[in-house]
Short mmCIF file of all heavy atoms in Angstrom, two decimals:
data_model
loop_
_atom_site.label_atom_id
_atom_site.label_comp_id
_atom_site.label_asym_id
_atom_site.label_seq_id
_atom_site.Cartn_x
_atom_site.Cartn_y
_atom_site.Cartn_z
N PHE A 21 21.80 0.70 -4.75
CA PHE A 21 20.55 -0.09 -4.44
C PHE A 21 20.91 -1.06 -3.29
O PHE A 21 20.09 -1.22 -2.40
CB PHE A 21 20.07 -0.83 -5.66
CG PHE A 21 19.12 -0.08 -6.46
CD1 PHE A 21 19.47 0.80 -7.46
CD2 PHE A 21 17.74 -0.16 -6.20
CE1 PHE A 21 18.61 1.48 -8.24
CE2 PHE A 21 16.82 0.60 -6.96
CZ PHE A 21 17.25 1.36 -7.95
N CYS A 22 22.09 -1.69 -3.34
CA CYS A 22 22.41 -2.61 -2.23
C CYS A 22 22.62 -1.88 -0.93
O CYS A 22 22.16 -2.31 0.13
CB CYS A 22 23.71 -3.42 -2.62
SG CYS A 22 23.50 -4.60 -3.96
N ALA A 23 23.37 -0.76 -1.03
CA ALA A 23 23.58 0.08 0.23
C ALA A 23 22.28 0.61 0.74
O ALA A 23 22.06 0.69 1.96
CB ALA A 23 24.55 1.20 -0.08
N MET A 24 21.36 1.03 -0.19
CA MET A 24 20.07 1.55 0.29
C MET A 24 19.28 0.47 1.01
O MET A 24 18.70 0.75 2.04
CB MET A 24 19.22 2.02 -0.93
CG MET A 24 17.89 2.49 -0.63
SD MET A 24 16.94 2.87 -2.15
CE MET A 24 16.75 1.25 -2.86
N ALA A 25 19.29 -0.75 0.51
CA ALA A 25 18.55 -1.85 1.18
C ALA A 25 19.15 -2.13 2.56
O ALA A 25 18.41 -2.29 3.54
CB ALA A 25 18.67 -3.11 0.30
N ILE A 26 20.47 -2.11 2.66
CA ILE A 26 21.04 -2.36 3.96
C ILE A 26 20.70 -1.25 4.93
O ILE A 26 20.37 -1.42 6.09
CB ILE A 26 22.62 -2.52 3.86
CG1 ILE A 26 22.91 -3.81 3.12
CG2 ILE A 26 23.28 -2.51 5.22
CD1 ILE A 26 24.42 -3.96 2.75
N ALA A 27 20.85 0.01 4.47
CA ALA A 27 20.59 1.16 5.33
C ALA A 27 19.11 1.14 5.73
O ALA A 27 18.73 1.38 6.92
CB ALA A 27 20.93 2.49 4.61
N LEU A 28 18.21 0.98 4.82
CA LEU A 28 16.79 0.99 5.12
C LEU A 28 16.41 -0.19 6.00
O LEU A 28 15.59 -0.02 7.01
CB LEU A 28 15.94 0.99 3.82
CG LEU A 28 14.42 1.09 4.00
CD1 LEU A 28 14.04 2.43 4.73
CD2 LEU A 28 13.77 1.08 2.63
N GLY A 29 16.98 -1.30 5.74
CA GLY A 29 16.70 -2.48 6.59
C GLY A 29 17.17 -2.28 8.02
O GLY A 29 16.55 -2.69 9.03
N THR A 30 18.32 -1.52 8.21
CA THR A 30 18.78 -1.30 9.57
C THR A 30 17.90 -0.32 10.28
O THR A 30 17.63 -0.55 11.48
CB THR A 30 20.26 -0.67 9.41
OG1 THR A 30 21.09 -1.58 8.74
CG2 THR A 30 20.81 -0.38 10.79
N VAL A 31 17.42 0.68 9.60
CA VAL A 31 16.47 1.58 10.23
C VAL A 31 15.23 0.93 10.62
O VAL A 31 14.71 1.07 11.75
CB VAL A 31 16.23 2.82 9.32
CG1 VAL A 31 15.06 3.73 9.87
CG2 VAL A 31 17.47 3.69 9.08
N LEU A 32 14.67 0.14 9.70
CA LEU A 32 13.32 -0.50 9.97
C LEU A 32 13.44 -1.57 11.01
O LEU A 32 12.48 -1.83 11.68
CB LEU A 32 12.81 -1.08 8.68
CG LEU A 32 12.45 -0.05 7.55
CD1 LEU A 32 11.90 -0.78 6.35
CD2 LEU A 32 11.45 1.00 8.00
N SER A 33 14.63 -2.13 11.17
CA SER A 33 14.80 -3.14 12.21
C SER A 33 14.65 -2.60 13.63
O SER A 33 14.34 -3.35 14.59
CB SER A 33 16.16 -3.83 12.13
OG SER A 33 17.17 -2.96 12.46
N ASN A 34 14.78 -1.29 13.74
CA ASN A 34 14.65 -0.56 14.99
C ASN A 34 13.21 -0.02 15.20
O ASN A 34 12.90 0.58 16.29
CB ASN A 34 15.67 0.50 15.13
CG ASN A 34 17.06 -0.05 15.27
OD1 ASN A 34 17.38 -0.80 16.21
ND2 ASN A 34 17.91 0.28 14.37
N LEU A 35 12.38 -0.15 14.18
CA LEU A 35 11.03 0.28 14.25
C LEU A 35 10.13 -0.89 14.45
O LEU A 35 9.87 -1.66 13.46
CB LEU A 35 10.60 1.06 12.95
CG LEU A 35 11.47 2.32 12.71
CD1 LEU A 35 10.98 2.97 11.45
CD2 LEU A 35 11.40 3.33 13.81
N LYS A 36 9.65 -1.09 15.62
CA LYS A 36 8.96 -2.31 15.98
C LYS A 36 7.42 -2.12 16.04
O LYS A 36 6.93 -1.19 16.70
CB LYS A 36 9.46 -2.88 17.32
CG LYS A 36 10.92 -3.22 17.28
CD LYS A 36 11.46 -3.66 18.60
CE LYS A 36 12.85 -4.28 18.52
NZ LYS A 36 13.84 -3.28 17.91
N ILE A 37 6.76 -2.96 15.23
CA ILE A 37 5.28 -2.75 15.28
C ILE A 37 4.70 -3.38 16.59
O ILE A 37 3.75 -2.92 17.13
CB ILE A 37 4.70 -3.66 14.09
CG1 ILE A 37 5.20 -3.01 12.71
CG2 ILE A 37 3.19 -3.65 14.11
CD1 ILE A 37 4.80 -3.76 11.49
N TYR A 38 5.35 -4.53 16.96
CA TYR A 38 4.86 -5.14 18.24
C TYR A 38 6.05 -5.92 18.81
O TYR A 38 6.83 -6.59 18.14
CB TYR A 38 3.69 -6.10 17.90
CG TYR A 38 3.19 -6.84 19.09
CD1 TYR A 38 2.36 -6.21 20.03
CD2 TYR A 38 3.52 -8.19 19.39
CE1 TYR A 38 1.89 -6.84 21.16
CE2 TYR A 38 3.03 -8.80 20.47
CZ TYR A 38 2.26 -8.17 21.32
OH TYR A 38 1.71 -8.82 22.47
N GLU A 39 6.18 -5.82 20.20
CA GLU A 39 7.08 -6.57 20.88
C GLU A 39 6.44 -7.58 21.79
O GLU A 39 5.56 -7.29 22.55
CB GLU A 39 7.97 -5.69 21.83
CG GLU A 39 8.86 -4.71 20.98
CD GLU A 39 9.88 -3.99 21.85
OE1 GLU A 39 10.68 -4.68 22.57
OE2 GLU A 39 9.88 -2.79 21.90
N PHE A 40 6.81 -8.90 21.63
CA PHE A 40 6.18 -9.94 22.39
C PHE A 40 6.74 -9.97 23.84
O PHE A 40 7.93 -9.58 24.08
CB PHE A 40 6.51 -11.29 21.77
CG PHE A 40 5.89 -11.53 20.41
CD1 PHE A 40 6.56 -11.24 19.24
CD2 PHE A 40 4.54 -11.91 20.35
CE1 PHE A 40 5.97 -11.42 18.01
CE2 PHE A 40 3.89 -12.04 19.13
CZ PHE A 40 4.68 -11.86 17.95
N PRO A 41 5.88 -10.24 24.79
CA PRO A 41 6.27 -10.16 26.19
C PRO A 41 7.46 -11.10 26.58
O PRO A 41 8.18 -10.86 27.46
CB PRO A 41 5.01 -10.43 27.03
CG PRO A 41 4.12 -11.20 26.03
CD PRO A 41 4.49 -10.55 24.68
N PHE A 42 7.58 -12.17 25.84
CA PHE A 42 8.59 -13.23 26.09
C PHE A 42 9.84 -12.97 25.33
O PHE A 42 10.81 -13.73 25.40
CB PHE A 42 8.01 -14.61 25.86
CG PHE A 42 7.40 -14.80 24.56
CD1 PHE A 42 8.13 -14.93 23.39
CD2 PHE A 42 6.00 -14.71 24.37
CE1 PHE A 42 7.54 -15.09 22.10
CE2 PHE A 42 5.41 -14.84 23.17
CZ PHE A 42 6.21 -15.03 21.98
N GLY A 43 9.86 -11.90 24.46
CA GLY A 43 11.00 -11.61 23.67
C GLY A 43 10.71 -11.75 22.17
O GLY A 43 9.76 -12.44 21.79
N GLY A 44 11.44 -11.07 21.41
CA GLY A 44 11.25 -11.03 19.93
C GLY A 44 10.17 -9.96 19.64
O GLY A 44 9.42 -9.54 20.42
N SER A 45 10.26 -9.57 18.33
CA SER A 45 9.40 -8.42 17.90
C SER A 45 9.11 -8.53 16.44
O SER A 45 9.80 -9.17 15.71
CB SER A 45 9.99 -7.06 18.24
OG SER A 45 11.27 -6.95 17.56
N ILE A 46 7.98 -7.80 16.07
CA ILE A 46 7.72 -7.66 14.61
C ILE A 46 8.20 -6.35 14.21
O ILE A 46 7.81 -5.27 14.72
CB ILE A 46 6.16 -7.75 14.43
CG1 ILE A 46 5.63 -9.05 14.96
CG2 ILE A 46 5.86 -7.50 12.90
CD1 ILE A 46 4.09 -9.11 14.87
N THR A 47 9.18 -6.27 13.25
CA THR A 47 9.70 -5.01 12.81
C THR A 47 8.90 -4.51 11.66
O THR A 47 8.01 -5.19 11.10
CB THR A 47 11.19 -5.17 12.39
OG1 THR A 47 11.26 -5.95 11.23
CG2 THR A 47 12.01 -5.78 13.49
N LEU A 48 9.24 -3.30 11.20
CA LEU A 48 8.47 -2.64 10.09
C LEU A 48 9.11 -3.15 8.75
O LEU A 48 9.82 -2.47 8.01
CB LEU A 48 8.57 -1.15 10.19
CG LEU A 48 7.66 -0.41 9.22
CD1 LEU A 48 6.17 -0.73 9.53
CD2 LEU A 48 7.89 1.17 9.40
N PHE A 49 8.87 -4.43 8.42
CA PHE A 49 9.27 -5.07 7.16
C PHE A 49 10.78 -5.08 6.94
O PHE A 49 11.22 -5.08 5.77
CB PHE A 49 8.56 -4.35 6.00
CG PHE A 49 7.08 -4.26 6.14
CD1 PHE A 49 6.50 -3.02 6.37
CD2 PHE A 49 6.25 -5.39 6.24
CE1 PHE A 49 5.10 -2.90 6.49
CE2 PHE A 49 4.89 -5.29 6.44
CZ PHE A 49 4.35 -3.99 6.55
N SER A 50 11.58 -5.12 7.99
CA SER A 50 13.06 -5.11 7.75
C SER A 50 13.55 -6.33 6.99
O SER A 50 14.43 -6.18 6.14
CB SER A 50 13.76 -4.96 9.07
OG SER A 50 13.54 -6.09 9.95
N MET A 51 12.97 -7.51 7.31
CA MET A 51 13.47 -8.73 6.56
C MET A 51 13.06 -8.64 5.08
O MET A 51 13.86 -9.13 4.24
CB MET A 51 12.86 -9.92 7.20
CG MET A 51 13.39 -10.31 8.58
SD MET A 51 12.91 -11.93 9.12
CE MET A 51 11.08 -11.76 9.30
N LEU A 52 11.95 -8.08 4.73
CA LEU A 52 11.59 -7.89 3.38
C LEU A 52 12.65 -7.07 2.56
O LEU A 52 13.01 -7.33 1.49
CB LEU A 52 10.19 -7.28 3.23
CG LEU A 52 9.75 -6.91 1.82
CD1 LEU A 52 9.62 -8.11 0.91
CD2 LEU A 52 8.35 -6.15 1.84
N ILE A 53 13.05 -5.96 3.19
CA ILE A 53 13.99 -5.03 2.60
C ILE A 53 15.32 -5.73 2.30
O ILE A 53 15.92 -5.60 1.27
CB ILE A 53 14.15 -3.77 3.46
CG1 ILE A 53 12.86 -3.10 3.63
CG2 ILE A 53 15.20 -2.85 2.81
CD1 ILE A 53 12.21 -2.63 2.36
N ILE A 54 15.75 -6.57 3.29
CA ILE A 54 17.04 -7.23 3.07
C ILE A 54 16.95 -8.38 2.03
O ILE A 54 17.94 -8.83 1.47
CB ILE A 54 17.59 -7.84 4.42
CG1 ILE A 54 17.70 -6.67 5.38
CG2 ILE A 54 18.88 -8.47 4.26
CD1 ILE A 54 18.59 -5.53 4.88
N CYS A 55 15.68 -8.85 1.76
CA CYS A 55 15.47 -9.86 0.72
C CYS A 55 15.55 -9.23 -0.66
O CYS A 55 15.73 -9.96 -1.68
CB CYS A 55 14.12 -10.53 0.89
SG CYS A 55 14.08 -11.77 2.20
N LEU A 56 15.40 -7.91 -0.77
CA LEU A 56 15.27 -7.26 -2.06
C LEU A 56 16.52 -7.42 -2.97
O LEU A 56 16.32 -7.66 -4.19
CB LEU A 56 14.85 -5.82 -1.89
CG LEU A 56 13.48 -5.53 -1.43
CD1 LEU A 56 13.23 -4.04 -1.24
CD2 LEU A 56 12.38 -6.18 -2.40
#
């Protein structure tokens, strides 16, 4: 379960819903997964 959360969070961190023009982005719930 811990390894799954890390792996899924890593994948989702590279899937960006939106990238702000000045930098930073909204990922596909990667922070939520690492909180699990």
